[in-house]
Amino acid sequence: MIDVLWVAVRALAFALLLQSAGAALFVIAFGRSLAHSAGGIARLARNGACLALAVLVLQGALELARMAGDWSGVLDP
């Protein structure tokens, strides 16, 4: 169960990171041509990056549980 959840969270983190990086690069490359939508795309990249950071923190906690083989590994010093 922990492994399946960890894989799902990791895949979500990769998708969010790639979306954010792609949107940022798109605005950098075509920002002058996108007079009306550049702000919205930049906001999408910023929100995606913040969400990816939260998902990566969750993935870090799940990594501890996955390595321990049980949920108690998250709180084990």
Side-chain angles (χ1 to χ4, degrees):
M1 175 65 182
I2 296 172
D3 291 333
V4 173
L5 185 60
W6 181 80
V7 167
V9 169
R10 186 161 171 95
L12 179 62
F14 278 136
L16 287 169
L17 285 171
L18 289 173
Q19 179 185 6
S20 299
L25 290 173
F26 184 78
V27 168
I28 289 170
F30 301 107
R32 293 183 182 162
S33 301
L34 305 170
H36 298 293
S37 60
I41 296 171
R43 189 171 46 253
L44 172 74
R46 186 175 47 251
N47 291 343
C50 291
L51 187 58
L53 181 63
V55 170
L56 285 170
V57 169
L58 175 64
Q59 179 191 347
L62 286 174
E63 181 75 23
L64 297 172
R66 189 177 76 85
M67 287 192 305
D70 192 31
W71 290 104
S72 64
V74 175
L75 301 175
D76 187 17

